[in-house]
Amino acid sequence: MTHGDVLAPYPLPRPAHRLVLALDFPSWNEALPLAERLAPEVGCLKIGLELFLREGPTVVREASRLAPVFLDLKLHDIPRTIDHATASALASGARLLSLHAAAGHTALQRAARRTEGTSLIPVAVTVLTSLSADDLRQLGVDNDLDTQVLCLARLAWEAGIRAFVTSPREVGLLRRAFPGALLITPGIRAQAGGDDQQRTACARDAIAAGSDLLVVGRPLRHAADPVQTASVLAEEIRKGLEQRQSR
Ligand code: C5P
């Protein structure tokens, strides 16, 4: 499988299409103004637990009228539950669905098989971008961050998953190890520090290192002019793509 094959159901004609807007709002009423305003400026709307648990699958259908939806529920469960939850996500009309690689080979394989030949791309979360090396140690993981990200990505790849969520810090590592994977990076910040994201990078660096899609939440939600901020990010993406090609 090539990089183009994974991206085939997800065309990216413009740099702005690589932006995924995280709709981390408590209700659809509160999300709608920003979703409507930014849908033409981004490639995808991401619905996470906060919004989904309040609104249910109807919010996926509503948001899908504006742009493709990434259903970021980070499933982590036994294989049968993952399989049936993936079927439900498919019925909701979502285009991307996240699950934790730590759910293990069989669960990942069930998600991969359930989505074969459909327009839903299962995405394996490696190590959350909010976790530091110390957090990993507290979890009882002896591997360093890079090794753990690679280990989880390999597990998911062998189970048939071709898309990963990872921090921009490890994206270069994953790009080299999996040239054909779809790589999605949250933790996009103009400057490091200031909130709960630990392993961050700016949009240009994340794209230059090999990221395909950038998940952006607070930098767009808190912007005085979100449309202007999206266009600045799109320009950074364009430069990052140029940098990647010139290597
Ligand atoms: O506001 P911010 O730009 O940090 O938003 C990042 C989004 O990406 C949040 O919705 C968060 O749940 C999600 N995410 C993440 N790290 C992962 C997977 C998803 O930050 N590993």
Side-chain angles (χ1 to χ4, degrees), residues 22-24 46 48-49 70 72 74 98 100 125-130 165-167 185-189 195-197 215-221:
L23 288 175
D24 295 328
K46 186 174 84 66
L49 287 166
F70 175 6
D72 186 19
K74 299 191 183 67
S98 61
H100 276 283
V125 176
T126 56
V127 175
L128 292 171
T129 43
S130 55
V165 179
T166 191
S167 98
T185 50
I188 301 303
R189 295 289 183 272
D195 58 31
D196 58 350
Q197 295 288 23
V215 175
V216 186
R218 283 162 285 186
L220 282 170
R221 285 202 313 282

Side-chain angles (χ1 to χ4, degrees), residues 4-143:
D5 291 335
V6 194
L7 284 170
Y10 197 95
L12 302 167
R14 288 195 289 125
H17 287 132
R18 293 172 184 271
L19 286 172
V20 177
L21 168 63
L23 288 175
D24 295 328
F25 286 94
S27 71
W28 181 233
N29 272 346
E30 285 156 276
L32 187 59
L34 190 71
E36 278 182 328
R37 211 165 154 206
L38 282 184
E41 318 295 330
V42 302
C44 189
L45 299 175
K46 186 174 84 66
I47 293 175
L49 287 166
E50 183 182 0
L51 191 53
F52 188 81
L53 290 177
R54 173 71 70 96
E55 305 284 358
T58 52
V59 76
V60 179
R61 283 189 280 279
E62 290 295 325
S64 296
R65 293 180 214 270
L66 302 173
V69 168
F70 175 6
L71 189 52
D72 186 19
L73 300 185
K74 299 191 183 67
L75 305 176
H76 189 176
D77 218 312
I78 61 170
R80 183 193 178 278
T81 307
I82 293 278
D83 184 18
H84 289 242
T86 304
S88 297
L90 193 51
S92 76
R95 301 291 304 278
L96 298 150
L97 170 71
S98 61
L99 70 164
H100 276 283
H105 180 87
T106 310
L108 293 162
Q109 194 175 50
R110 294 281 285 268
R113 289 192 178 153
R114 175 63 69 178
T115 51
E116 233 167 55
T118 73
S119 59
L120 180 64
I121 303 175
V123 182
V125 176
T126 56
V127 175
L128 292 171
T129 43
S130 55
L131 297 183
S132 64
D134 279 347
D135 292 319
L136 217 56
R137 269 192 296 281
Q138 276 176 17
L139 290 170
V141 176
D142 288 334
N143 285 337

Side-chain angles (χ1 to χ4, degrees), residues 181-209:
L182 173 66
L183 301 181
I184 304 174
T185 50
I188 301 303
R189 295 289 183 272
Q191 278 150 5
D195 58 31
D196 58 350
Q197 295 288 23
Q198 300 282 341
R199 303 185 337 271
T200 61
C202 70
R204 180 179 177 166
D205 289 350
I207 290 285

